[in-house]
Amino acid sequence: MLVGCDFSSAPTRRKPIVLAWGKLRGHAVLLDRLESLPSLEAFEHWLLQPGAWIGGFDLPFGLPRELVKTLGWPLEWQACMQHYATLSRAQIRDTFAAFCDARPVGAKFAHRACDRPAGSSPSMKWVNPPVAFMLHAGVPRLLAAGVTMPGLQAQTSGVAVDGILNRRVALEAYPGLLAREALGHRSYKSDDRSKQTPERLIARKDLLAALEAGQTRLGLRLKLTHAQHDALVDDATGDALDAVLCLVQAAWASQKHAQGDPLYGLPADLDPLEGWIVTA
């Protein structure tokens, strides 16, 4: 199975973590179903369920090497993440704010090597969007559940849960990277009801049309039922659509792995501390 995850560091029933489940058939990505997780506890519970999947997760998996070195944190990824998990969000905010305050205007944040090609926010940002908190909430839970994260840790053959062998592979995904291929810089979503405009509705329709026609460099076509298509168009927050975009990126990665790539399409020379966004 394949799964795309639109993640939140503070999910609620109104704004849950959204999973898009699907499968790859040739060059077609078939959406099976959408699933909502209203809390981080529900996310943890899901991660411990038996089963094998390859997933694309919309949260950063690593911090900029420059930042980690400056702070004197461990330079090995798993040790760094374990240290990061011990900090409170207030400590993270204060530490990163002090780092930024000591730097010149225009270069406040440290960046990962993948930020420029992906067009992503620096993973140390704690507001708009709070991706530093998403990393803090997500990666330790993935690690605790024994999920494999290629390029960042030693490869494993799976983890036995209740006697069932799991092969669960998580890749850092970024829906905005795929959406920009179809829309440029047109916005297609907003959590603010006053900004859920007809223009954004049209953008969601255009984005789905491009995905269904396979008009991206990934060479994959999204297959939806009429009801699924309408549900994705009607979700003005874009959360479900973002999960589907991550699903398509996961499908591309699974295709690369099936062709013999042990890194699921990630570059062979990626920084094993910072990680990389799949398809970037």
Side-chain angles (χ1 to χ4, degrees):
M1 288 293 290
L2 301 171
V3 63
C5 176
D6 179 63
F7 191 74
S8 170
S9 59
T12 63
R13 291 197 178 279
R14 183 173 172 274
K15 182 74 173 175
I17 295 168
V18 180
L19 304 179
W21 288 96
K23 58 179 72 74
L24 184 63
R25 291 289 182 267
H27 294 287
V29 183
L30 283 65
L31 177 63
D32 281 348
R33 69 186 191 278
L34 296 168
E35 180 179 355
S36 295
L37 304 175
S39 66
L40 290 174
E41 291 74 22
F43 180 70
E44 289 178 10
H45 179 72
W46 166 66
L47 286 175
L48 294 175
Q49 299 308 300
W53 44 256
I54 296 169
F57 290 75
D58 182 18
L59 70 146
F61 282 10
L63 293 165
R65 181 173 288 273
E66 179 187 6
L67 171 71
V68 176
K69 288 182 68 174
T70 300
L71 296 176
W73 291 357
L75 295 176
E76 188 273 325
W77 176 79
Q78 190 151 334
C80 183
M81 292 298 99
Q82 288 168 342
H83 170 73
Y84 193 59
T86 67
L87 304 176
S88 68
R89 292 187 182 184
Q91 288 173 315
I92 291 168
R93 181 190 63 241
D94 293 347
T95 299
F96 290 179
F99 174 92
C100 291
D101 288 345
R103 289 163 65 91
V105 174
K108 292 292 186 182
F109 292 99
H111 289 265
R112 296 185 294 164
C114 64
D115 285 342
R116 186 178 298 276
S120 56
S121 297
S123 61
M124 64 173 295
K125 282 194 74 174
W126 61 94
V127 289
N128 300 325
V131 286
F133 296 157
M134 293 166 68
L135 189 161
H136 184 258
V139 169
R141 288 176 167 85
L142 290 167
L143 276 171
V147 174
T148 297
M149 286 172 270
L152 295 168
Q153 58 186 183
Q155 300 300 288
T156 61
S157 58
V159 177
V161 177
D162 294 332
I164 299 173
L165 184 67
N166 281 351
R167 176 59 172 171
R168 298 159 306 150
V169 176
L171 298 150
E172 181 181 342
Y174 177 43
L177 174 59
L178 187 53
R180 278 198 302 272
E181 285 197 47
L183 298 177
H185 291 285
R186 292 165 61 199
S187 176
Y188 60 95
K189 61 179 181 176
S190 178
D191 288 334
D192 184 341
R193 294 183 69 88
S194 68
K195 295 180 180 178
Q196 294 172 355
T197 60
E199 290 77 15
R200 288 185 167 92
L201 172 66
I202 293 168
R204 289 194 296 281
K205 291 180 177 180
D206 290 346
L207 175 53
L208 282 173
L211 292 170
E212 289 180 300
Q215 294 173 342
T216 75
R217 62 189 169 84
L218 302 189
L220 299 172
R221 290 179 295 107
L222 179 63
K223 299 285 283 186
L224 301 171
T225 66
H226 292 303
Q228 288 170 340
H229 180 278
D230 291 347
L232 293 172
V233 168
D234 291 343
D235 178 14
T237 68
D239 295 343
L241 184 48
D242 281 349
V244 169
L245 289 166
C246 290
L247 170 68
V248 175
Q249 291 176 317
W252 179 88
S254 74
Q255 190 178 60
K256 290 295 183 183
H257 187 255
Q259 294 166 355
D261 185 348
L263 288 178
Y264 295 79
L266 301 176
D269 61 348
L270 67 83
D271 186 321
L273 175 63
E274 294 188 345
W276 195 266
I277 294 169
V278 69
T279 77

